[in-house]
Amino acid sequence: MTTKQRLLQICNERVDKRINDYKEEINLIKESIESTDKGNSEGDDSGSGKLLNDLEKNMSYLNDAKKTKEYLSNIKTNVESKEAMLGNIVKTNVMNFYIASSIGKIELDNDVFYAISVNSPIGQLLINKPVNTSFEFNQNKHVITEII
């Protein structure tokens, strides 16, 4: 398995975990709402109102995670390019990036990669740039040394 395939697999695993965590949280909140409704005959909605708010937030997070999963399914690991694009590993003199989705830090084979979105600020600086392009980000001067 190539490094790009392994990075994509890790991204998918992390998103799957997020999806499962949100589903579990939603189920817990639903159970709490049901038990609050059964035990609450005076019409005091303060507890269930917060629970409904939490339910709504978690359902939104779950929806976002599902969209990320769908987005990741569009990444092709066998495409080569001379310019940084979705699915590429972009190495700079400062750090390594994997252009996929905003997953964060991934440690793999004694290397550190940062899975970033095309739409993130750093993603916008990288996208469509070839090797030897330089740019500044967070007061660091980066030079693209390799695109895989």
Side-chain angles (χ1 to χ4, degrees), residues 20-36 51-52 54-55 58:
N20 289 332
D21 289 349
Y22 293 135
K23 283 180 178 177
E24 284 179 26
E25 187 67 20
I26 287 167
N27 287 333
L28 287 173
I29 293 169
K30 283 180 178 177
E31 288 173 16
S32 294
I33 289 171
E34 286 174 18
S35 66
T36 301
L51 288 172
L52 286 171
D54 289 348
L55 179 64
N58 277 282

mmCIF file of all heavy atoms in Angstrom, residues 20-36 51-52 54-55 58:
data_model
loop_
_atom_site.group_PDB
_atom_site.id
_atom_site.type_symbol
_atom_site.label_atom_id
_atom_site.label_comp_id
_atom_site.label_asym_id
_atom_site.label_seq_id
_atom_site.Cartn_x
_atom_site.Cartn_y
_atom_site.Cartn_z
ATOM 1 N N ASN A 20 -19.391 7.525 14.079
ATOM 2 C CA ASN A 20 -19.870 6.628 15.136
ATOM 3 C C ASN A 20 -20.037 7.362 16.459
ATOM 4 O O ASN A 20 -21.013 7.137 17.177
ATOM 5 C CB ASN A 20 -18.928 5.429 15.295
ATOM 6 C CG ASN A 20 -19.026 4.464 14.126
ATOM 7 O OD1 ASN A 20 -20.071 4.366 13.474
ATOM 8 N ND2 ASN A 20 -17.949 3.769 13.838
ATOM 9 N N ASP A 21 -19.087 8.238 16.789
ATOM 10 C CA ASP A 21 -19.177 9.000 18.037
ATOM 11 C C ASP A 21 -20.419 9.898 18.045
ATOM 12 O O ASP A 21 -21.123 9.979 19.047
ATOM 13 C CB ASP A 21 -17.922 9.852 18.257
ATOM 14 C CG ASP A 21 -16.695 9.020 18.612
ATOM 15 O OD1 ASP A 21 -16.835 7.806 18.888
ATOM 16 O OD2 ASP A 21 -15.585 9.593 18.600
ATOM 17 N N TYR A 22 -20.686 10.569 16.918
ATOM 18 C CA TYR A 22 -21.865 11.434 16.849
ATOM 19 C C TYR A 22 -23.151 10.618 16.946
ATOM 20 O O TYR A 22 -24.104 11.025 17.603
ATOM 21 C CB TYR A 22 -21.869 12.290 15.575
ATOM 22 C CG TYR A 22 -20.758 13.323 15.538
ATOM 23 C CD1 TYR A 22 -19.993 13.515 14.402
ATOM 24 C CD2 TYR A 22 -20.472 14.105 16.655
ATOM 25 C CE1 TYR A 22 -18.972 14.459 14.370
ATOM 26 C CE2 TYR A 22 -19.449 15.050 16.631
ATOM 27 C CZ TYR A 22 -18.707 15.220 15.487
ATOM 28 O OH TYR A 22 -17.702 16.142 15.448
ATOM 29 N N LYS A 23 -23.174 9.449 16.297
ATOM 30 C CA LYS A 23 -24.365 8.587 16.369
ATOM 31 C C LYS A 23 -24.615 8.138 17.804
ATOM 32 O O LYS A 23 -25.756 8.145 18.273
ATOM 33 C CB LYS A 23 -24.197 7.363 15.462
ATOM 34 C CG LYS A 23 -24.400 7.665 13.995
ATOM 35 C CD LYS A 23 -24.227 6.411 13.149
ATOM 36 C CE LYS A 23 -24.464 6.686 11.679
ATOM 37 N NZ LYS A 23 -24.230 5.498 10.843
ATOM 38 N N GLU A 24 -23.547 7.756 18.502
ATOM 39 C CA GLU A 24 -23.681 7.346 19.904
ATOM 40 C C GLU A 24 -24.188 8.502 20.761
ATOM 41 O O GLU A 24 -25.079 8.322 21.594
ATOM 42 C CB GLU A 24 -22.334 6.847 20.451
ATOM 43 C CG GLU A 24 -21.967 5.465 19.985
ATOM 44 C CD GLU A 24 -20.609 5.010 20.516
ATOM 45 O OE1 GLU A 24 -20.179 5.491 21.588
ATOM 46 O OE2 GLU A 24 -19.982 4.172 19.850
ATOM 47 N N GLU A 25 -23.631 9.681 20.549
ATOM 48 C CA GLU A 25 -24.044 10.853 21.319
ATOM 49 C C GLU A 25 -25.512 11.185 21.045
ATOM 50 O O GLU A 25 -26.277 11.494 21.962
ATOM 51 C CB GLU A 25 -23.146 12.046 20.988
ATOM 52 C CG GLU A 25 -23.369 13.262 21.841
ATOM 53 C CD GLU A 25 -22.993 13.086 23.308
ATOM 54 O OE1 GLU A 25 -22.215 12.173 23.641
ATOM 55 O OE2 GLU A 25 -23.517 13.862 24.126
ATOM 56 N N ILE A 26 -25.919 11.105 19.786
ATOM 57 C CA ILE A 26 -27.312 11.370 19.416
ATOM 58 C C ILE A 26 -28.244 10.383 20.119
ATOM 59 O O ILE A 26 -29.287 10.764 20.656
ATOM 60 C CB ILE A 26 -27.483 11.330 17.877
ATOM 61 C CG1 ILE A 26 -26.848 12.588 17.267
ATOM 62 C CG2 ILE A 26 -28.953 11.206 17.477
ATOM 63 C CD1 ILE A 26 -26.657 12.534 15.766
ATOM 64 N N ASN A 27 -27.871 9.104 20.130
ATOM 65 C CA ASN A 27 -28.696 8.095 20.804
ATOM 66 C C ASN A 27 -28.802 8.366 22.301
ATOM 67 O O ASN A 27 -29.880 8.239 22.888
ATOM 68 C CB ASN A 27 -28.162 6.690 20.543
ATOM 69 C CG ASN A 27 -28.443 6.231 19.121
ATOM 70 O OD1 ASN A 27 -29.393 6.674 18.488
ATOM 71 N ND2 ASN A 27 -27.603 5.347 18.610
ATOM 72 N N LEU A 28 -27.696 8.760 22.926
ATOM 73 C CA LEU A 28 -27.722 9.083 24.353
ATOM 74 C C LEU A 28 -28.634 10.279 24.633
ATOM 75 O O LEU A 28 -29.400 10.279 25.598
ATOM 76 C CB LEU A 28 -26.306 9.380 24.862
ATOM 77 C CG LEU A 28 -25.367 8.196 25.019
ATOM 78 C CD1 LEU A 28 -23.952 8.670 25.353
ATOM 79 C CD2 LEU A 28 -25.872 7.259 26.112
ATOM 80 N N ILE A 29 -28.543 11.289 23.787
ATOM 81 C CA ILE A 29 -29.370 12.480 23.966
ATOM 82 C C ILE A 29 -30.845 12.121 23.784
ATOM 83 O O ILE A 29 -31.700 12.558 24.561
ATOM 84 C CB ILE A 29 -28.946 13.603 22.995
ATOM 85 C CG1 ILE A 29 -27.541 14.117 23.358
ATOM 86 C CG2 ILE A 29 -29.949 14.757 23.028
ATOM 87 C CD1 ILE A 29 -26.918 15.026 22.317
ATOM 88 N N LYS A 30 -31.147 11.306 22.771
ATOM 89 C CA LYS A 30 -32.537 10.896 22.543
ATOM 90 C C LYS A 30 -33.081 10.141 23.766
ATOM 91 O O LYS A 30 -34.224 10.359 24.174
ATOM 92 C CB LYS A 30 -32.642 10.028 21.291
ATOM 93 C CG LYS A 30 -32.580 10.827 20.001
ATOM 94 C CD LYS A 30 -32.699 9.919 18.798
ATOM 95 C CE LYS A 30 -32.686 10.700 17.492
ATOM 96 N NZ LYS A 30 -32.740 9.828 16.310
ATOM 97 N N GLU A 31 -32.262 9.248 24.329
ATOM 98 C CA GLU A 31 -32.678 8.513 25.539
ATOM 99 C C GLU A 31 -32.921 9.479 26.694
ATOM 100 O O GLU A 31 -33.892 9.329 27.442
ATOM 101 C CB GLU A 31 -31.618 7.483 25.932
ATOM 102 C CG GLU A 31 -31.549 6.281 25.010
ATOM 103 C CD GLU A 31 -30.379 5.358 25.330
ATOM 104 O OE1 GLU A 31 -29.786 5.456 26.432
ATOM 105 O OE2 GLU A 31 -30.055 4.534 24.463
ATOM 106 N N SER A 32 -32.050 10.472 26.844
ATOM 107 C CA SER A 32 -32.217 11.463 27.912
ATOM 108 C C SER A 32 -33.484 12.281 27.716
ATOM 109 O O SER A 32 -34.191 12.570 28.676
ATOM 110 C CB SER A 32 -31.009 12.406 27.964
ATOM 111 O OG SER A 32 -29.857 11.704 28.344
ATOM 112 N N ILE A 33 -33.768 12.644 26.472
ATOM 113 C CA ILE A 33 -34.986 13.413 26.186
ATOM 114 C C ILE A 33 -36.219 12.584 26.549
ATOM 115 O O ILE A 33 -37.142 13.084 27.186
ATOM 116 C CB ILE A 33 -35.030 13.852 24.700
ATOM 117 C CG1 ILE A 33 -33.984 14.932 24.443
ATOM 118 C CG2 ILE A 33 -36.424 14.352 24.312
ATOM 119 C CD1 ILE A 33 -33.790 15.291 22.978
ATOM 120 N N GLU A 34 -36.195 11.308 26.171
ATOM 121 C CA GLU A 34 -37.330 10.435 26.478
ATOM 122 C C GLU A 34 -37.525 10.293 27.982
ATOM 123 O O GLU A 34 -38.648 10.383 28.472
ATOM 124 C CB GLU A 34 -37.136 9.058 25.836
ATOM 125 C CG GLU A 34 -37.341 9.067 24.338
ATOM 126 C CD GLU A 34 -37.008 7.735 23.687
ATOM 127 O OE1 GLU A 34 -36.945 6.709 24.389
ATOM 128 O OE2 GLU A 34 -36.811 7.734 22.459
ATOM 129 N N SER A 35 -36.438 10.095 28.713
ATOM 130 C CA SER A 35 -36.578 9.926 30.162
ATOM 131 C C SER A 35 -36.958 11.246 30.842
ATOM 132 O O SER A 35 -37.691 11.253 31.818
ATOM 133 C CB SER A 35 -35.307 9.342 30.784
ATOM 134 O OG SER A 35 -34.237 10.242 30.670
ATOM 135 N N THR A 36 -36.489 12.377 30.303
ATOM 136 C CA THR A 36 -36.866 13.687 30.851
ATOM 137 C C THR A 36 -38.350 13.947 30.611
ATOM 138 O O THR A 36 -39.057 14.425 31.486
ATOM 139 C CB THR A 36 -36.026 14.811 30.203
ATOM 140 O OG1 THR A 36 -34.652 14.565 30.455
ATOM 141 C CG2 THR A 36 -36.404 16.174 30.748
ATOM 142 N N LEU A 51 -31.210 19.737 25.883
ATOM 143 C CA LEU A 51 -30.994 18.453 25.213
ATOM 144 C C LEU A 51 -31.353 18.538 23.730
ATOM 145 O O LEU A 51 -30.624 18.010 22.878
ATOM 146 C CB LEU A 51 -31.809 17.351 25.890
ATOM 147 C CG LEU A 51 -31.327 16.900 27.270
ATOM 148 C CD1 LEU A 51 -32.335 15.961 27.912
ATOM 149 C CD2 LEU A 51 -29.959 16.232 27.174
ATOM 150 N N LEU A 52 -32.451 19.206 23.426
ATOM 151 C CA LEU A 52 -32.832 19.363 22.020
ATOM 152 C C LEU A 52 -31.795 20.178 21.256
ATOM 153 O O LEU A 52 -31.486 19.881 20.100
ATOM 154 C CB LEU A 52 -34.212 20.029 21.908
ATOM 155 C CG LEU A 52 -35.396 19.132 22.257
ATOM 156 C CD1 LEU A 52 -36.679 19.951 22.338
ATOM 157 C CD2 LEU A 52 -35.541 18.002 21.263
ATOM 158 N N ASP A 54 -28.577 20.310 22.032
ATOM 159 C CA ASP A 54 -27.435 19.403 21.872
ATOM 160 C C ASP A 54 -27.695 18.389 20.759
ATOM 161 O O ASP A 54 -26.794 18.062 19.983
ATOM 162 C CB ASP A 54 -27.143 18.669 23.180
ATOM 163 C CG ASP A 54 -26.554 19.571 24.251
ATOM 164 O OD1 ASP A 54 -26.153 20.710 23.919
ATOM 165 O OD2 ASP A 54 -26.499 19.144 25.425
ATOM 166 N N LEU A 55 -28.922 17.911 20.691
ATOM 167 C CA LEU A 55 -29.296 16.951 19.642
ATOM 168 C C LEU A 55 -29.129 17.581 18.262
ATOM 169 O O LEU A 55 -28.536 16.988 17.360
ATOM 170 C CB LEU A 55 -30.737 16.480 19.850
ATOM 171 C CG LEU A 55 -31.283 15.499 18.814
ATOM 172 C CD1 LEU A 55 -30.504 14.193 18.847
ATOM 173 C CD2 LEU A 55 -32.758 15.248 19.057
ATOM 174 N N ASN A 58 -25.379 17.951 17.404
ATOM 175 C CA ASN A 58 -24.755 16.677 17.056
ATOM 176 C C ASN A 58 -25.248 16.142 15.718
ATOM 177 O O ASN A 58 -24.491 15.523 14.980
ATOM 178 C CB ASN A 58 -24.975 15.647 18.177
ATOM 179 C CG ASN A 58 -23.959 15.818 19.273
ATOM 180 O OD1 ASN A 58 -22.825 15.399 19.150
ATOM 181 N ND2 ASN A 58 -24.355 16.473 20.351
#
